[in-house]
């Protein structure tokens, strides 16, 4: 293989791109991160019309490392592009770009993006309700201070349901079991009940989501956003859940039917919800008022991955490993299956 040009549009990884260039002497790396939103090309930097993207860099790029948000027209501006890697675990961002409809091989960072930090958030969300912090917060806002209203329980012995036992889902399962919880979850690739797999006590096919919902005290959404999962946490799921169960979403807001969620919490169908995402968030829309106004719902601004002091490290290592594989003609890790949506 001759010289390989790699373009990087991923400010989250910093300016030191030696993790790319050090892979092999054949690699030529170009920093195009200034073209990402919030970064402007400097004087003399050639850019594609109306895009701010460095046209000369993309025109010769064979490999692309791209973060979030994904700029438009990358495929059109990169006629030599063979492979593009996304720094995010989810690829719904790519699905809205012209890369999705191209012949370019796509890979993602699923399983390495702050999985432990996100799993800790999910466990903290469960403890928020289980250990009375939800009621304490409500009482403080109401100017009250009483033992009345607390619905206390321990996490030990409770059931954590995990929808989507991928990299993040497995870490949620691992930490939950360490806390003494029973874990039941779903995985799309499983065809029959599978005990003791993927860090869970029981793994069920994705089609058995209602059984997981019925058995769970806390139901965590960790699945990828696809055509199948859009709005699939719906009224049927809420109807199957226990009345004191809590929904936790660390995936994408569009996977939850928010009309059904609001009805479920206001009617007491479920106890409450902790959401790190909401529908329309990635498009820049504000959350619907009920998500910030209802005391049964705790909404945070997509911060569950924050606090990991080495979040960029695993991303760099994954891309470097995949680049070695690409140069050696070996199969890439985390190849996106466009038909499945992840």
């Amino acid at each position: 293989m001759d010289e390989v040009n790699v373009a990087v549009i991923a400010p989250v990884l910093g300016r030191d791109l030696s993790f790319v260039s050090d892979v092999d002497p054949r690699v030529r790396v170009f920093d195009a991160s200034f073209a990402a939103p919030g970064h402007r090309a400097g004087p003399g930097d050639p850019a594609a019309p109306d895009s701010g993207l460095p046209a000369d860099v993309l025109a010769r790029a064979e490999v692309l490392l791209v973060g979030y948000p994904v700029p438009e027209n990358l495929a059109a501006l990169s006629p030599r592009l063979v492979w593009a890697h996304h720094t995010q675990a989810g690829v719904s961002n790519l699905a809205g770009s012209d890369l999705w409809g191209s012949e370019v091989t796509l890979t993602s960072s699923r399983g390495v993006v702050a999985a432990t930090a996100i799993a800790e958030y999910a466990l903290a969300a469960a403890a928020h309700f289980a250990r009375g912090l939800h009621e304490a917060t409500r009482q403080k806002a109401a100017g009250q201070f009483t033992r009345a209203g607390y619905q206390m329980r321990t996490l030990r012995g409770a059931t954590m349901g995990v929808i989507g036992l991928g990299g993040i889902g497995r870490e949620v399962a691992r930490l939950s079991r360490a806390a003494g919880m029973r874990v039941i979850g779903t995985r799309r690739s499983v065809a029959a009940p599978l005990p003791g797999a993927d860090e869970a006590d029981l793994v069920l096919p994705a089609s058995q989501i209602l059984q997981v919902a019925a058995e769970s005290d806390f139901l965590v959404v960790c699945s990828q956003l696809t055509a199948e999962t859009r709005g699939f946490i719906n009224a049927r799921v809420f109807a199957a859940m226990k009345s004191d169960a809590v929904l936790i979403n660390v995936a994408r807001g569009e996977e939850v039917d928010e009309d059904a969620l609001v009805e479920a919490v206001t009617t007491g169908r479920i106890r409450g919800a902790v959401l790190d995402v909401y529908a329309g968030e990635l498009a820049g829309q504000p959350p619907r008022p009920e998500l910030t106004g209802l005391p049964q719902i705790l909404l945070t601004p997509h911060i569950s991955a924050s606090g990991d002091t080495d979040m960029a490290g695993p991303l760099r290592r994954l891309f470097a490993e995949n680049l070695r594989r690409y140069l050696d003609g070996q199969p890439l890790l985390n190849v996106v299956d466009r038909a499945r949506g992840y």
Side-chain angles (χ1 to χ4, degrees):
M1 181 178 287
D2 297 327
E3 198 171 86
V4 173
N5 294 323
V6 179
V8 180
I9 309 178
V12 68
L13 297 177
R15 290 293 187 180
D16 182 1
L17 301 181
S18 59
F19 72 95
V20 180
S21 57
D22 288 351
V23 168
D24 191 283
R26 292 171 288 178
V27 172
R28 296 290 178 269
V29 59
F30 299 90
D31 186 359
S33 290
F34 57 77
H39 293 72
R40 292 187 176 276
D45 287 324
D50 304 321
S51 73
L53 292 172
D56 62 330
V57 169
L58 293 177
R60 59 179 182 266
E62 184 176 333
V63 176
L64 176 65
L65 174 56
V66 61
Y68 171 81
V70 179
E72 297 179 355
N73 302 320
L74 284 176
L77 294 168
S78 311
R80 297 186 59 210
L81 193 63
V82 176
W83 161 45
H85 181 84
H86 192 30
T87 60
Q88 303 292 103
V91 295
S92 56
N93 313 308
L94 291 176
S97 75
D98 67 343
L99 286 171
W100 195 262
S102 71
E103 297 297 319
V104 173
T105 297
L106 301 177
T107 57
S108 75
S109 299
R110 65 179 184 267
V112 303
V113 182
T116 298
I118 297 171
E120 288 175 350
Y121 176 100
L123 204 60
H128 180 76
F129 277 89
R131 303 311 302 146
L133 302 182
H134 161 68
E135 178 61 20
T137 302
R138 188 200 67 77
Q139 287 195 20
K140 181 177 180 179
Q144 301 172 341
F145 188 67
T146 172
R147 288 192 169 208
Y150 282 87
Q151 300 177 47
M152 304 287 287
R153 68 162 303 160
T154 64
L155 292 179
R156 186 182 68 253
T159 296
M160 179 73 87
V162 182
I163 305 301
L165 282 162
I168 293 170
R170 288 195 299 273
E171 189 67 355
V172 171
R174 185 183 72 82
L175 294 186
S176 298
R177 290 184 72 183
M181 302 180 76
R182 171 180 178 259
V183 177
I184 181 173
T186 65
R187 185 150 194 174
R188 191 177 185 273
S189 59
V190 170
L194 186 62
D198 292 324
E199 303 288 349
D201 295 282
L202 178 63
V203 183
L204 295 174
S207 60
Q208 294 182 237
I209 185 174
L210 294 184
Q211 179 180 337
V212 176
E215 295 187 25
S216 299
D217 299 295
F218 306 95
L219 187 65
V220 186
V221 185
C222 300
S223 46
Q224 296 269 358
L225 176 61
T226 67
E228 290 180 41
T229 64
R230 186 175 293 273
F232 80 141
I233 307 298
N234 53 26
R236 293 178 65 239
V237 173
F238 293 124
M241 292 173 68
K242 302 175 183 180
S243 61
D244 60 350
V246 173
L247 177 74
I248 302 166
N249 189 4
V250 293
R252 289 289 185 266
E254 287 76 10
E255 296 184 47
V256 174
D257 180 336
E258 292 183 349
D259 289 334
L261 171 63
V262 169
E263 182 176 2
V265 297
T266 54
T267 60
R269 178 54 261 166
I270 65 171
R271 185 177 180 186
V274 179
L275 313 173
D276 192 41
V277 289
Y278 62 88
E281 172 205 351
L282 296 182
Q285 301 171 13
R288 59 191 293 167
E290 297 94 333
L291 301 188
T292 55
L294 286 171
Q296 302 98 318
I297 297 176
L298 176 62
L299 176 68
T300 56
H302 208 149
I303 47 82
S304 60
S306 301
D308 187 335
T309 57
D310 189 32
M311 186 166 65
L315 297 176
R316 295 188 186 105
R317 289 189 288 273
L318 173 62
F319 181 75
E321 172 61 24
N322 254 355
L323 184 56
R324 290 187 192 95
R325 288 168 172 261
Y326 178 79
L327 293 168
D328 294 340
Q330 297 178 356
L332 300 180
L333 303 173
N334 287 2
V335 173
V336 174
D337 183 333
R338 288 172 170 84
R340 293 193 305 175
Y342 58 91

